[in-house]
Amino acid sequence: MSLQKPVMRGLLAKRLRFHLPIAFSLAIAAALAFKFGVTEPRKKAYAEFYKNYDNVKEFNAMREAGVFEGVRPSGE
Amino acid sequence: MFRAVFRLSTSGARRLARTRPCYSAPLASRCYSHGKVETDEEFDSRWVTYFSKPDIDAWELRKGMNTLIGYDLVPEPKILDSALRACRRLNDLASAIRILEAVRDKAGPHKDIYPYLIQELKPTLTELGISTPEELGIDKL
């Protein structure tokens, strides 16, 4: 029983035609997932933190805690 | 379900955006829309003629084989037959066996191609006294 002639041309092209769209889709999906899963929540967290941030209040709290050298707590 | 839609839409858009490679032709080269595309038969006979040169030299044999292996195809039995006869003219048994190893590797995961090629080349291999890598036991690592 002799073997039939198989397909011998364009094998790489056929493989790429199938795999390249998948590869690009997965790469773009990964990028989008990272953007919306990590960077956007992170940006939002920072925005929320600084929305009502009172830097004078925070400075005075740090001053009373005694972490500065240039300005002593108001008691001393 | 949305990912499937997303994948189809992006792959469709991408295929339009990227320059289309010629999926029909095995040659990884020019994709001119105006020029005549060589048919498979013309391609094959061009290569059979190349290796049939009576006074082919060793460099031309190596160059021809390396170029041929660079294409997106496994060479037809008649091209390989012509190349093996060129090896015979050059008294180069090593290259003849190497050609067989190369086409087996070219087939990649398609394990049905190499047995077919050996089947087609068996008369030539017997006539020229070329052993296959399998017969020599050098096909296994």
Side-chain angles (χ1 to χ4, degrees):
Chain A
M1 51 119 226
S2 64
L3 302 164
Q4 293 290 38
K5 179 169 180 183
V7 178
M8 287 168 42
R9 297 183 123 92
L11 298 170
L12 178 66
K14 193 169 78 162
R15 180 186 167 85
L16 287 180
R17 197 180 161 88
F18 177 72
H19 283 94
L20 268 180
I22 295 178
F24 274 88
S25 307
L26 284 179
I28 292 175
L32 288 172
F34 191 82
K35 180 182 176 68
F36 292 110
V38 177
T39 62
E40 286 303 315
R42 202 174 274 177
K43 279 157 64 177
K44 212 175 324 164
Y46 271 85
E48 283 301 318
F49 180 84
Y50 283 108
K51 193 151 70 137
N52 299 314
Y53 186 74
D54 181 355
N55 32 11
V56 177
K57 176 172 139 235
E58 297 298 327
F59 166 75
N60 283 322
M62 283 188 247
R63 174 190 184 171
E64 299 312 320
V67 295
F68 293 130
E69 287 183 8
V71 51
R72 292 289 171 205
S74 47
E76 300 167 17
Chain B
M1 195 276 233
F2 287 106
R3 267 184 66 111
V5 170
F6 176 75
R7 180 171 306 155
L8 285 170
S9 62
T10 47
S11 65
R14 205 171 307 112
R15 211 162 292 152
L16 292 168
R18 272 187 300 158
T19 50
R20 290 211 59 166
C22 289
Y23 292 126
S24 46
L27 308 172
S29 55
R30 304 122 256 253
C31 266
Y32 31 69
S33 55
H34 59 277
K36 193 162 68 85
V37 178
E38 189 181 48
T39 69
D40 289 351
E41 295 71 32
E42 287 168 350
F43 175 84
D44 290 346
S45 47
R46 192 159 55 80
W47 277 102
V48 169
T49 312
Y50 178 91
F51 287 116
S52 304
K53 195 164 92 125
D55 55 345
I56 193 173
D57 67 33
W59 185 93
E60 285 169 357
L61 173 69
R62 289 195 304 272
K63 174 65 180 170
M65 277 316 302
N66 278 306
T67 311
L68 191 58
I69 292 296
Y71 295 137
D72 180 17
L73 52 82
V74 182
E76 291 286 315
K78 50 181 183 288
I79 303 179
L80 296 175
D81 171 87
S82 185
L84 292 173
R85 290 182 189 282
C87 291
R88 174 63 269 193
R89 291 198 293 284
L90 289 163
N91 300 317
D92 192 350
L93 176 63
S95 295
I97 299 174
R98 193 60 172 153
I99 289 172
L100 297 177
E101 288 182 315
V103 299
R104 181 179 176 174
D105 181 71
K106 261 317 260 189
H110 304 265
K111 298 209 189 296
D112 50 340
I113 298 181
Y114 183 68
Y116 169 77
L117 284 174
I118 294 297
Q119 172 193 283
E120 296 298 307
L121 289 172
K122 213 52 187 147
T124 308
L125 295 177
T126 326
E127 178 195 332
L128 300 177
I130 300 171
S131 315
T132 69
E134 290 70 35
E135 287 165 6
L136 296 171
I138 61 172
D139 59 318
K140 299 277 175 280
L141 240 50

